[in-house]
Structure formats: structure tokens, C-alpha cells
């Protein structure tokens, strides 16, 4: 696992392109509150959320439908910084996560934030609710080519991996990009990730650096060089169980192209 310990470089001195603590609500000029809506129907894709003092709380509710029947049991509430699909019935759209996908709801292209290089900082509190996972990804938009589909996995945190220390997954996934090689690994965070903490990713010029709380966790000698949407997701994976609502909080997002 290529890595380099040390401190993350300082953030750019200029104003971020996104600087959102959600204190004024959900800004539709920045965020689409829907998870890959083109592969499913609007109600199944719609995020459940609540604006709270600490930011925005992504929720899984007891009556929330599965995202797609073919992927059930799977419920998700997500914010993403754009959308793209081809026409209904076509295989064209952002993040073809599995074979056999066809567009069910056409979503005209909207690139709210889709840089080819940059820096993103996300402060979150992960969920400890049964079968939940909090994740943040940068995924190829694919609006120019289906091969522009790589992913930077900033983090994936399973609820059952959270304790006095936390295990998270992070790295790069090639998906359908022949120029990338999947390079995922586990990192151990020396704290309970259900408390607020900040992740950072810096990518460009063939390198991806992923860190947390100011420290470098992974330095990977590859990076997508095409437009990427930011996605922040709360999943419930498995049959309905436990108490609802299940939730995770996004406190603050800062991002620079």
C-alpha cells in the first residue's frame, strides 16, 4: 500500500469554491439531494435529511424505500455535486456501479462542482447504527466518455468498525477506466469516528493524497484527470433492523478546484 506519513499541506489561501456548513439550509446551487437518480426513480433516489445545529443530518427512515429493487436491501441518503445521464433506456450515466444498468429517469447534465483536480475537506460524524455505512467519493461524471469513470474513495466507514479506534477504507477504484488500477486499503483512525473529524483529499498531476485530521494516510501515484462529482452518502445495507431514524452528520464541506 503506497503511503507517506506526515502532515497535509495547508489549504489554499484563496476562498474555497464550496464553503458550506449548511447553516442556511441545503443550497440547491451546490447540492443534488438524490443518489444517482438516473438509475432509479425520484422517490427511491431522494435523500432524507434534516438541517440541525451541527450541519446537515443524513437519515435513513423506517419507511424509506430501497434505492433499486434489484439492489435491495439497500437504502441511501446522499448529497452530490451534479448529475448526468443519457436518455431513458440507455446505459449512459455517472457511476455505473454494476453491469446491466439502464437509465430509468433522464437527468440532464448539471455540473455544479466537477473539477479534474483540486482539494476537498469534509467534516463528518459517522453513524454507529446497525448496518450503516458513511462514505464520501469523487466519481467520474462520464458525460464526455464512459471510460472517465474512476473513483477516489475518500472514506468508507462501516458502523461496526467504529470504536475507541476506527477502521476505514480509502483509495482509488478504477471501475471502467483502463488508465487506473484499483488501489484500496484499510486505515486505522485513533479515535471514535462517530465524533466530528475532518477528511482531506488532494488530487492532480498523477497523484492522490488522502488524509484525516491533518495527517496523511495514503499517497497514491495515480489520479483521475477528468471531471469528478463529489458524493457524500449514508447507506443502510441489509434488512431493516434496529431503531430509526438512523443518521450521520455532515458538519462542513470546503472544496477548491
Amino acid at each position: 500500500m503506497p503511503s507517506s506519513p506526515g502532515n497535509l499541506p495547508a489549504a489554499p489561501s484563496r476562498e474555497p469554491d464550496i464553503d458550506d456548513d449548511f447553516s442556511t439550509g441545503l443550497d440547491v446551487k451546490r447540492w443534488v439531494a438524490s443518489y444517482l437518480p438516473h438509475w432509479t426513480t425520484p422517490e427511491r433516489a431522494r435523500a432524507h435529511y434534516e438541517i440541525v445545529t451541527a450541519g446537515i443530518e443524513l437519515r435513513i427512515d423506517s419507511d424509506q424505500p430501497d434505492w433499486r429493487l434489484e439492489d435491495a436491501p439497500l437504502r441511501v441518503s446522499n448529497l452530490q455535486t451534479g448529475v448526468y445521464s443519457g436518455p431513458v433506456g440507455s446505459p449512459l450515466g455517472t457511476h455505473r456501479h454494476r453491469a446491466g444498468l439502464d437509465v430509468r429517469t433522464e437527468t440532464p447534465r448539471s455540473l455544479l462542482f466537477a473539477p479534474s483536480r483540486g482539494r476537498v475537506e469534509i467534516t463528518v460524524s459517522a453513524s454507529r447504527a446497525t448496518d450503516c455505512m458513511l462514505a464520501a467519493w469523487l466519481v467520474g461524471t462520464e458525460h464526455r466518455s464512459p471510460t472517465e469513470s474512476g473513483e477516489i474513495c475518500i472514506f468508507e466507514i462501516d458502523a461496526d468498525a467504529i470504536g475507541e479506534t476506527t477502521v476505514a477504507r480509502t483509495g482509488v477504484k478504477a471501475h471502467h477506466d483502463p488508465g487506473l488500477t484499483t488501489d484500496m486499503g484499510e486505515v486505522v483512525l485513533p479515535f471514535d469516528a462517530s465524533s466530528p473529524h475532518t477528511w482531506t483529499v488532494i488530487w492532480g498531476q498523477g497523484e492522490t493524497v488522502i488524509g484525516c485530521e491533518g495527517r496523511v494516510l495514503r499517497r497514491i501515484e495515480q489520479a483521475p484527470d477528468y471531471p469528478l462529482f463529489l458524493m457524500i452518502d449514508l447507506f443502510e445495507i441489509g434488512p431493516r433492523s434496529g431503531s430509526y431514524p438512523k443518521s450521520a452528520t455532515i458538519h462542513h464541506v470546503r472544496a477548491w478546484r
Side-chain angles (χ1 to χ4, degrees):
M1 182 193 306
S3 63
S4 177
N7 295 326
L8 289 161
S13 57
R14 64 181 176 83
E15 289 294 313
D17 296 287
I18 297 175
D19 188 357
D20 198 351
D21 63 4
F22 305 95
S23 58
T24 60
L26 185 72
D27 185 346
V28 297
K29 294 180 180 178
R30 291 176 174 159
W31 301 104
V32 176
S34 189
Y35 180 67
L36 301 172
H38 44 290
W39 302 132
T40 184
T41 56
E43 181 57 25
R44 292 183 179 277
R46 178 179 67 86
H48 292 216
Y49 66 88
E50 182 178 356
I51 301 298
V52 296
T53 302
I56 186 169
E57 187 177 82
L58 297 179
R59 296 163 51 122
I60 304 294
D61 291 313
S62 60
D63 59 350
Q64 189 163 336
D66 289 299
W67 176 62
R68 280 170 33 102
L69 289 176
E70 295 89 338
D71 290 87
L74 174 68
R75 291 155 295 283
V76 56
S77 289
N78 164 80
L79 302 183
Q80 59 188 65
T81 60
V83 285
Y84 158 71
S85 83
V88 171
S90 79
L92 301 175
T94 299
H95 204 45
R96 290 168 294 127
H97 67 286
R98 53 170 284 178
L101 287 171
D102 293 313
V103 173
R104 291 185 180 162
T105 303
E106 184 172 350
T107 56
R109 184 176 74 206
S110 176
L111 307 179
L112 303 177
F113 179 76
S116 298
R117 56 180 295 177
R119 177 182 179 125
V120 174
E121 300 176 350
I122 308 170
T123 303
V124 296
S125 294
S127 178
R128 298 193 73 165
T130 305
D131 294 332
C132 281
M133 178 182 78
L134 182 67
W137 307 319
L138 288 155
V139 301
T141 63
E142 303 189 45
H143 75 278
R144 302 188 310 192
S145 168
T147 63
E148 292 186 341
S149 55
E151 172 196 323
I152 297 173
C153 174
I154 307 170
F155 62 83
E156 294 174 349
I157 304 172
D158 296 326
D160 62 7
I162 301 174
E164 292 185 4
T165 63
T166 299
V167 177
R169 294 180 296 277
T170 186
V172 169
K173 301 178 188 178
H175 293 296
H176 309 283
D177 181 346
L180 294 178
T181 300
T182 294
D183 184 351
M184 289 288 293
E186 291 188 339
V187 294
V188 178
L189 310 175
F191 53 81
D192 180 334
S194 66
S195 298
H197 63 285
T198 300
W199 289 84
T200 300
V201 59
I202 306 164
W203 79 103
Q205 296 183 311
E207 181 180 70
T208 300
V209 178
I210 300 169
C212 187
E213 290 295 284
R215 299 284 292 176
V216 173
L217 298 177
R218 303 213 54 202
R219 189 180 299 273
I220 302 168
E221 296 305 317
Q222 54 178 335
D225 60 355
Y226 39 76
L228 305 173
F229 289 145
L230 175 62
M231 303 177 68
I232 309 175
D233 332 270
L234 175 65
F235 293 88
E236 183 186 32
I237 304 166
R240 300 174 203 276
S241 63
S243 59
Y244 293 87
K246 301 179 178 183
S247 66
T249 304
I250 308 169
H251 303 284
H252 201 171
V253 178
R254 298 201 305 164
W256 295 261
R257 291 183 173 86

